Amino acid sequence: MKLERRMALFTGVLLFVSLLFVFVFLDVFFMYILRREMRSTTMKMFEIFVEDVERSFSSPEAVFDSSGRLLSGKDPGIGEKVGMSFFQQQENLSAGGLLWINGVPYVWLREKETLSLVPIRPLYHASAAEEWGLFLVSFPKYQNVVLTKFPLLQNKWQEVVKQQAARLLTEGSVGPLFAYDGVWFMRVLRPGLVIVGYLEVRLFSVLVRHFVYIGVTILVLAFLVYLVVQHRVFGRFAKTWRSFLEGVSRFEHQDYHYRIPVEEGIVDEMRETVLAFNRLAETLEASYYANDKLFQQLRYNYYHDKLTGLPNGNKFLEDFSTFEHPNLLLFDIENFSEWNMYFGSSMGDRVLVQTAQRLSSLSIYPRTFLYKLWADRFLLVIDQPMERRELEVMATYFLENLSNLAYDVAGQQIYLSFIAGILGANLLSAGVEGNAVLTAMAGLLKKAKVMHTFFFIAEDMKEISHQTEENLKTLGKVREAIQHSYLVNFYQPIVNNHTGKVEKYEALVRIQLPSGEMIPPLTFLTLAKQAKLYSFISRAVVMHALDHFRTMPYQVSINFTPEDLADKKLKHFLLTSFSNFDDAGRIVMEITESESIQNYEEIKEALQPFLALGCKLAIDDFGAGYSNFYHVFSLRPHFIKIDGSLIKNLDKDETAYSLVRSICQLAKDLGAKTVAEYVHNEVVWQKVKELGIDYAQGFYFSPPVPYEKLFGKE
């Protein structure tokens, strides 16, 4: 018992001394911080007052010359003799001071040849600072004018100013000066004119008050801790605390089996804490197993395709680094999106499930891994060394079994066509990432489609990687152009074939980087569509075109895709922009006629608000290999732009000539004007006019050029 009391007494004294030291340190630190912050804050406020006074000097009521003659403003009543007397003094006298005219205070400011009188006006910031005292003082008479309503004894400021007069004459500014009951500032505005500021702050009383607060708090804490020690729970508390820390440590390692033993003789609060901890441990132990089950389900969903149950792309990216010799075969169902749209998504899901089962059953190598990627694509990984010939045999084996066996869908036997992109393990360099491999595989599928072959095997990974790298660089430049407004419009004139005069211009986008590099649209537009950046480019083209042609007497053609019209946000932006344009009839919306138009009725409906505004509609690239005459002319376009592939050989290809003549006749019957693209020489232009085409466009007239060069404007 004696030992415990001595420990408690020693601990209490040690604690009291330590807290006393902390108390002194905090008081000193607080005094330092308070003084520093007050110095900074008050100095900034005084600078604002000085700026207000200087600003008032810029608006004098009257200005006199050296002869006392009034130059500007209104004479408040000093007269020429008085005004002239200011200039009869020596040059080294005051350049400013105070003057009372008919009982009204003025500030006089003397320049080389002029004298300005400024009335004392209320200051904006000073009027709101009720705790500040501000006044102007003139030397050497110590006349003063109070700028605020703050009560200040006359002898008080005179005493302070006279004490600091020598410093003011040499340094021009004094302050902040900390006094018992406030802070003083002084600044020479003009020789002979000083502004004095005073902020009433009883710094000592503030410090004493905080000393008391901190001291009382620390003493109370020391007393409470001392009571705890005196209750002889120091040892039991320490033991229980160690057990508590042990429990927390086990919690961090997800070990919820530990329980804190309840010691006899500990205070009730500690006992309740221990019991609460044990109850929490029991709850966590029970929920851990339930949450672990949920976590495993979430993990499964993240790494597996919900429809087929196969591992997905996320799992492939995680597994890729573990493969030793991965040979990859990426399979794609041809025209699956159209098939899915025709038969319905439920039928499409059945096809995907059967394809997954069929690929799983066809695998003959022990280390074969099948993944279901996006849409209708399946990735097969054979992790063992294989020659090119083996890969060709395997690709043929899989494709024949997939394509030649019927699929049972809703009782119907259907056949599907597959293509594949193949990448051998020998082409994969060390350190290559899974995302880069997937991008390369998608490129191989695209090549197989373009070449109309069942599969395409990569010959050189460097070429694929280089193209991927170039695409990423280009996308980076596109994002940079959108973010920093590097997108610019070039314009190509469209000539009326009947008059030979330019009546329209087509807006064509370019990227112009600060380095001077000019990126043509063919390089980045397709990538921008794939990266979902195309709508930002469309916005930039529209804003530039409408700004450039707002006051010009020409029509301007702007290209749009069916996807642009389906984008609700972009459509709203276009309608707002076109509505604010002076004459929407000078806006021609060019829609490219292609297979991407799935539903002409939707396009027709989307165009109605624009046509109601008066915008004109043009079908671009008409006759470029895909032309649904009925659907196109159901849109009732104002212009048909005949594709350059037909126009450029008009003087040599009789078939092209006949086809263009048929298009012109059909357009004429339906009331649409025709535009010939790609007119590159005089001979072709003559053929165009011979066919009766209304307008012509091409390099024969002008290549696309910047707006500034076209119209000579900056």
Side-chain angles (χ1 to χ4, degrees):
M1 293 296 292
K2 291 182 179 180
L3 179 61
E4 289 184 3
R5 290 178 180 177
R6 289 178 182 177
M7 286 183 60
L9 181 60
F10 174 77
T11 304
V13 173
L14 181 62
L15 181 63
F16 181 82
V17 173
S18 300
L19 292 178
L20 184 62
F21 174 78
V22 172
F23 165 70
V24 175
F25 173 80
L26 289 177
D27 284 346
V28 174
F29 178 76
F30 180 81
M31 185 187 308
Y32 167 76
I33 293 297
L34 181 63
R35 186 182 180 91
R36 190 182 65 175
E37 290 299 316
M38 185 175 293
R39 175 186 294 272
S40 174
T41 304
T42 54
M43 192 65 191
K44 290 179 181 178
M45 197 64 192
F46 182 69
E47 291 292 342
I48 292 174
F49 297 151
V50 173
E51 290 178 7
D52 281 356
V53 173
E54 289 287 355
R55 193 178 298 111
S56 70
F57 289 172
S58 62
S59 303
E61 182 176 303
V63 180
F64 300 86
D65 62 9
S66 58
S67 63
R69 186 180 55 183
L70 182 67
L71 296 178
S72 64
K74 181 180 179 182
D75 184 356
I78 67 171
E80 291 186 359
K81 291 184 178 182
V82 177
M84 187 169 53
S85 66
F86 282 90
F87 294 92
Q88 295 174 350
Q89 303 177 41
Q90 298 297 325
E91 293 182 355
N92 59 352
L93 295 181
S94 301
L98 299 175
L99 176 66
W100 277 260
I101 303 174
N102 297 325
V104 178
Y106 285 79
V107 174
W108 62 267
L109 303 172
R110 189 182 62 182
E111 303 292 341
K112 291 182 179 180
E113 298 295 332
T114 61
L115 172 69
S116 301
L117 292 181
V118 181
I120 304 299
R121 300 186 178 94
L123 302 179
Y124 174 77
H125 293 93
S127 60
E130 298 179 356
E131 70 277 18
W132 277 84
L134 290 172
F135 49 96
L136 297 174
V137 180
S138 64
F139 280 95
K141 297 181 179 180
Y142 289 99
Q143 296 172 314
N144 73 91
V145 173
V146 179
L147 301 178
T148 60
K149 298 180 180 180
F150 187 84
L152 191 64
L153 297 177
Q154 185 77 4
N155 57 353
K156 186 67 176 180
W157 69 260
Q158 285 188 358
E159 178 184 351
V160 176
V161 173
K162 288 179 180 179
Q163 289 175 355
Q164 303 298 326
R167 285 185 62 188
L168 282 173
L169 293 175
T170 56
E171 299 177 9
S173 179
V174 173
L177 296 175
F178 288 92
Y180 168 79
D181 55 352
V183 186
W184 291 87
F185 297 84
M186 281 159 269
R187 175 75 58 82
V188 177
L189 301 177
R190 300 288 188 280
L193 184 62
V194 177
I195 181 172
V196 178
Y198 171 77
L199 174 63
E200 184 181 41
V201 178
R202 298 190 178 275
L203 185 60
F204 181 79
S205 61
V206 173
L207 292 176
V208 170
R209 186 167 60 253
H210 284 278
F211 287 175
V212 172
Y213 291 163
I214 297 174
V216 170
T217 303
I218 292 177
L219 289 175
V220 170
L221 289 175
F223 180 73
L224 291 176
V225 174
Y226 182 76
L227 287 179
V228 172
V229 176
Q230 282 297 98
H231 277 77
R232 295 175 299 183
V233 297
F234 183 82
R236 297 186 183 93
F237 174 82
K239 185 176 180 181
T240 305
W241 178 248
R242 285 193 297 269
S243 300
F244 184 82
L245 293 179
E246 174 68 17
V248 171
S249 176
R250 295 200 181 192
F251 273 20
E252 292 178 350
H253 295 86
Q254 297 184 346
D255 179 6
Y256 305 117
H257 304 287
Y258 181 77
R259 302 292 184 270
I260 299 177
V262 181
E263 297 288 338
E264 293 293 335
I266 61 174
V267 295
D268 294 341
E269 290 81 0
M270 180 60 68
R271 180 185 299 274
E272 290 298 324
T273 302
V274 170
L275 293 176
F277 179 93
N278 291 339
R279 287 194 296 269
L280 176 62
E282 293 173 0
T283 304
L284 290 175
E285 185 178 9
S287 64
Y288 173 78
Y289 293 104
N291 288 336
D292 183 62
K293 195 173 182 179
L294 176 61
F295 173 77
Q296 295 300 329
Q297 182 63 44
L298 293 174
R299 178 180 173 83
Y300 179 86
N301 294 340
Y302 180 75
Y303 285 115
H304 290 79
D305 177 63
K306 183 178 180 180
L307 178 65
T308 63
L310 291 175
N312 57 20
N314 296 325
K315 190 70 170 85
F316 168 75
L317 295 177
E318 186 174 281
D319 294 345
F320 181 71
S321 60
T322 64
F323 296 137
E324 296 180 1
H325 306 284
N327 300 278
L328 300 101
L329 296 86
L330 182 62
F331 297 95
D332 179 78
I333 305 175
E334 288 197 283
N335 302 318
F336 180 75
S337 59
E338 290 81 359
W339 191 95
N340 195 39
M341 183 181 298
Y342 182 78
F343 288 101
S345 59
S346 60
M347 298 299 179
D349 290 346
R350 294 184 187 180
V351 168
L352 293 176
V353 171
Q354 292 185 41
T355 302
Q357 295 171 346
R358 202 167 278 185
L359 282 170
S360 299
S361 64
L362 291 173
S363 302
I364 59 176
Y365 291 97
R367 286 191 55 79
T368 301
F369 305 88
L370 180 61
Y371 300 89
K372 170 64 172 64
L373 303 186
W374 60 94
D376 57 329
R377 295 184 178 182
F378 295 84
L379 178 65
L380 192 71
V381 180
I382 304 175
D383 189 19
Q384 68 175 53
M386 298 181 71
E387 299 294 333
R388 176 186 172 88
R389 179 59 184 165
E390 291 181 82
L391 288 173
E392 292 178 350
V393 171
M394 287 304 303
T396 304
Y397 165 72
F398 279 106
L399 290 172
E400 285 183 351
N401 279 277
L402 290 172
S403 302
N404 295 336
L405 296 178
Y407 284 79
D408 183 11
V409 179
Q412 299 294 323
Q413 300 295 308
I414 62 171
Y415 293 86
L416 297 174
S417 178
F418 288 77
I419 60 173
I422 304 170
L423 181 61
N426 60 313
L427 296 180
L428 296 175
S429 58
V432 64
E433 295 184 356
N435 279 318
V437 172
L438 290 180
T439 302
M441 297 298 295
L444 296 176
L445 268 183
K446 187 175 182 180
K447 284 194 174 184
K449 290 182 180 180
V450 172
M451 298 174 65
H452 302 288
T453 183
F454 290 111
F455 62 84
F456 183 86
I457 300 181
E459 299 288 347
D460 186 0
M461 185 61 184
K462 291 182 179 179
E463 179 182 351
I464 298 173
S465 299
H466 175 72
Q467 184 60 49
T468 301
E469 184 178 348
E470 289 299 315
N471 289 344
L472 290 175
K473 287 182 179 179
T474 302
L475 271 180
K477 292 178 180 179
V478 172
R479 289 190 174 93
E480 182 183 4
I482 293 172
Q483 184 177 1
H484 299 288
S485 301
Y486 296 153
L487 293 167
V488 297
N489 282 8
F490 277 39
Y491 298 97
Q492 189 173 35
I494 301 175
V495 177
N496 187 321
N497 290 328
H498 305 297
T499 64
K501 296 181 179 180
V502 176
E503 291 187 2
K504 317 170 189 292
Y505 288 90
E506 181 178 359
L508 302 166
V509 69
R510 303 284 190 274
I511 292 178
Q512 188 170 21
L513 298 176
S515 62
E517 179 185 0
M518 185 69 69
I519 305 178
L522 290 177
T523 306
F524 64 86
L525 282 184
T526 301
L527 290 173
K529 289 180 182 179
Q530 295 172 349
K532 308 298 183 184
L533 299 175
Y534 193 82
S535 63
F536 297 100
I537 297 176
S538 296
R539 289 170 184 261
V541 172
V542 168
M543 287 191 294
H544 291 323
L546 297 187
D547 182 56
H548 289 158
F549 284 84
R550 188 171 299 278
T551 59
M552 304 295 287
Y554 304 103
Q555 286 186 332
V556 58
S557 294
I558 306 173
N559 290 281
F560 297 99
T561 65
E563 291 77 13
D564 286 334
L565 298 177
D567 188 332
K568 293 183 179 180
K569 292 183 179 180
L570 179 60
K571 184 179 178 182
H572 176 74
F573 167 79
L574 295 177
L575 285 171
T576 303
S577 301
F578 292 172
S579 299
N580 294 328
F581 192 64
D582 297 339
D583 181 9
R586 292 194 289 113
I587 301 173
V588 180
M589 301 178 67
E590 292 194 13
I591 308 296
T592 302
E593 190 266 332
S594 66
E595 293 183 51
S596 64
I597 301 180
Q598 300 291 335
N599 191 323
Y600 278 86
E601 287 301 319
E602 291 181 358
I603 296 295
K604 189 174 181 180
E605 182 179 352
L607 286 170
Q608 285 305 314
F610 299 99
L611 299 177
L613 288 176
C615 299
K616 302 297 187 290
L617 174 63
I619 301 299
D620 196 17
D621 297 339
F622 190 82
Y626 175 88
S627 294
N628 191 323
F629 282 30
Y630 173 77
H631 286 303
V632 167
F633 283 102
S634 70
L635 297 177
R636 308 301 296 178
H638 300 87
F639 302 97
I640 295 294
K641 299 192 73 172
I642 305 172
D643 188 66
S645 62
L646 298 174
I647 299 298
K648 66 180 181 180
N649 296 320
L650 207 57
D651 57 332
K652 303 173 183 178
D653 190 340
E654 293 183 1
T655 302
Y657 188 91
S658 300
L659 183 56
V660 172
R661 181 172 55 193
S662 300
I663 293 174
C664 291
Q665 185 59 48
L666 182 58
K668 184 178 180 181
D669 292 343
L670 295 174
K673 300 290 185 181
T674 49
V675 182
E677 299 181 300
Y678 211 93
V679 177
H680 57 287
N681 58 39
E682 175 69 24
V683 178
V684 172
W685 190 33
Q686 293 303 324
K687 290 290 184 181
V688 166
K689 292 193 289 186
E690 181 180 299
L691 287 167
I693 298 176
D694 300 292
Y695 297 93
Q697 176 182 356
F699 274 65
Y700 175 65
F701 306 104
S702 171
V705 294
Y707 173 79
E708 294 78 10
K709 183 177 180 181
L710 192 65
F711 297 106
K713 297 182 179 181
E714 294 297 333

Short mmCIF file of all heavy atoms in Angstrom, two decimals, residues 364-369 384:
data_model
loop_
_atom_site.label_atom_id
_atom_site.label_comp_id
_atom_site.label_asym_id
_atom_site.label_seq_id
_atom_site.Cartn_x
_atom_site.Cartn_y
_atom_site.Cartn_z
N ILE A 364 -8.11 -28.48 -76.18
CA ILE A 364 -7.44 -29.78 -76.11
C ILE A 364 -6.09 -29.70 -75.40
O ILE A 364 -5.47 -30.72 -75.13
CB ILE A 364 -7.23 -30.35 -77.53
CG1 ILE A 364 -6.39 -29.38 -78.37
CG2 ILE A 364 -8.56 -30.64 -78.21
CD1 ILE A 364 -6.07 -29.92 -79.76
N TYR A 365 -5.62 -28.49 -75.09
CA TYR A 365 -4.35 -28.35 -74.39
C TYR A 365 -4.60 -28.21 -72.89
O TYR A 365 -5.59 -27.60 -72.46
CB TYR A 365 -3.59 -27.12 -74.90
CG TYR A 365 -3.09 -27.28 -76.32
CD1 TYR A 365 -3.81 -26.77 -77.39
CD2 TYR A 365 -1.89 -27.96 -76.58
CE1 TYR A 365 -3.35 -26.92 -78.69
CE2 TYR A 365 -1.43 -28.10 -77.89
CZ TYR A 365 -2.17 -27.59 -78.94
OH TYR A 365 -1.72 -27.73 -80.22
N PRO A 366 -3.68 -28.75 -72.07
CA PRO A 366 -3.92 -28.71 -70.60
C PRO A 366 -3.93 -27.30 -70.03
O PRO A 366 -4.73 -27.00 -69.16
CB PRO A 366 -2.76 -29.55 -70.04
CG PRO A 366 -1.71 -29.54 -71.11
CD PRO A 366 -2.44 -29.49 -72.41
N ARG A 367 -3.02 -26.44 -70.50
CA ARG A 367 -2.97 -25.07 -69.98
C ARG A 367 -3.68 -24.14 -70.95
O ARG A 367 -3.07 -23.33 -71.65
CB ARG A 367 -1.52 -24.63 -69.74
CG ARG A 367 -0.90 -25.29 -68.52
CD ARG A 367 0.44 -24.66 -68.15
NE ARG A 367 0.38 -23.23 -67.95
CZ ARG A 367 -0.06 -22.63 -66.85
NH1 ARG A 367 -0.52 -23.35 -65.84
NH2 ARG A 367 -0.07 -21.31 -66.75
N THR A 368 -4.99 -24.27 -70.99
CA THR A 368 -5.84 -23.43 -71.84
C THR A 368 -6.79 -22.64 -70.95
O THR A 368 -7.42 -23.21 -70.05
CB THR A 368 -6.65 -24.28 -72.84
OG1 THR A 368 -5.74 -25.02 -73.66
CG2 THR A 368 -7.51 -23.38 -73.72
N PHE A 369 -6.88 -21.34 -71.21
CA PHE A 369 -7.71 -20.46 -70.39
C PHE A 369 -8.65 -19.68 -71.32
O PHE A 369 -8.21 -19.11 -72.32
CB PHE A 369 -6.84 -19.49 -69.59
CG PHE A 369 -5.80 -20.18 -68.74
CD1 PHE A 369 -4.54 -20.47 -69.27
CD2 PHE A 369 -6.08 -20.55 -67.45
CE1 PHE A 369 -3.58 -21.11 -68.50
CE2 PHE A 369 -5.13 -21.18 -66.67
CZ PHE A 369 -3.87 -21.47 -67.19
N GLN A 384 1.62 -22.40 -73.69
CA GLN A 384 2.71 -23.33 -73.96
C GLN A 384 3.35 -22.91 -75.28
O GLN A 384 2.73 -22.24 -76.11
CB GLN A 384 2.20 -24.77 -74.04
CG GLN A 384 1.31 -25.04 -75.25
CD GLN A 384 0.95 -26.51 -75.33
OE1 GLN A 384 0.48 -27.09 -74.37
NE2 GLN A 384 1.19 -27.11 -76.49
#
